[in-house]
Amino acid sequence: MIMWLLGACKPTVPSRFIQPDDMEALLYDYHLGQALAYLNRDDSARAFDEARYFEATLEKHGVTHADYDSSMIYYFTRADRFDEIYQRIAKRLGDDALKLGAAEGEVNRYSQLNATGDTANVWEGNSAVVLMPYAPYNRVSFTQKADTTYKKGDIFMLLFAADFCYQSGSREAVACLTVTYDNDSVVNKVNHVTTSGLMQLRAPVVEGRTAKELKGYIYLGPGNEKSSTLKMMYIHDLQLIRFHQASNDTAKAERKPITMTTDTLRRDTVGKP
């Protein structure tokens, strides 16, 4: 009876907005369509496909642009509901990717780590955030002080998953990770984020020094074109991984050659490399 009463006390979504289950189904189809559009390497053709798939998704679910915009704004102001919806979407997309033969994501590799041990997730902030391309909602930043568990030569890597919800326009986000060491030397890594998928930034190693502060941000830019259409970026599974030099994971990470042009591991939302 108590559990029923607690459940009954949870506010319902007003009927004028898309209901959570329907929103989940719509956004799931939206991301499948955007992933298909991403397969087209021609920028102009890709933009056309993105718009075409978006219109098809709205038509399939019987939703107008006005309904979609107002509902997305409603969920944006209620981050807990939006996070619940996207957690379910992320799981569905991940399950679909594994069924299609995709490898387990790098984000999942570290998802169960705590703040202790040779390989640890030391992230202190919220694991999910929603950004929109105008202040003050266009930026998430963090500053973390080192503690006694940090050692000389530690390696740091910022991990997160990004999902863009754009009706139109170019996606343009920047992620930065900065490490300040005990001799006040500073190293940083900056990556541009233009597609949905898994992202990682690994800061350069300073041998023989101990980190004293970690800082960084993710910033969503307005893009080059002027547009009044809804633009939103959902960031989730935020993690800050610390590798001790003495660990086997760290040794492997240092020996592994980097064949990508950046430190960003990009995938589309259906898990296709």
Side-chain angles (χ1 to χ4, degrees), residues 34 38 41 46 50 160-164 170-173 192-199 233-234 264-269:
Q34 297 304 293
Y38 179 72
R41 299 300 176 180
R46 184 191 308 166
E50 287 174 351
F160 62 92
D163 288 302
F164 287 93
S170 59
R171 297 147 176 77
E172 184 180 304
H192 291 270
V193 184
T194 58
T195 62
S196 298
L198 310 181
M199 311 294 163
M233 180 183 184
Y234 177 62
T264 302
L265 177 62
R266 296 181 177 177
R267 291 185 180 179
D268 60 45
T269 51

Side-chain angles (χ1 to χ4, degrees), residues 147-167:
D147 58 30
T148 56
T149 63
Y150 287 51
K151 298 181 180 180
K152 292 181 178 180
D154 280 348
I155 299 172
F156 299 95
M157 183 166 61
L158 180 66
L159 287 171
F160 62 92
D163 288 302
F164 287 93
C165 284
Y166 273 47
Q167 291 185 32

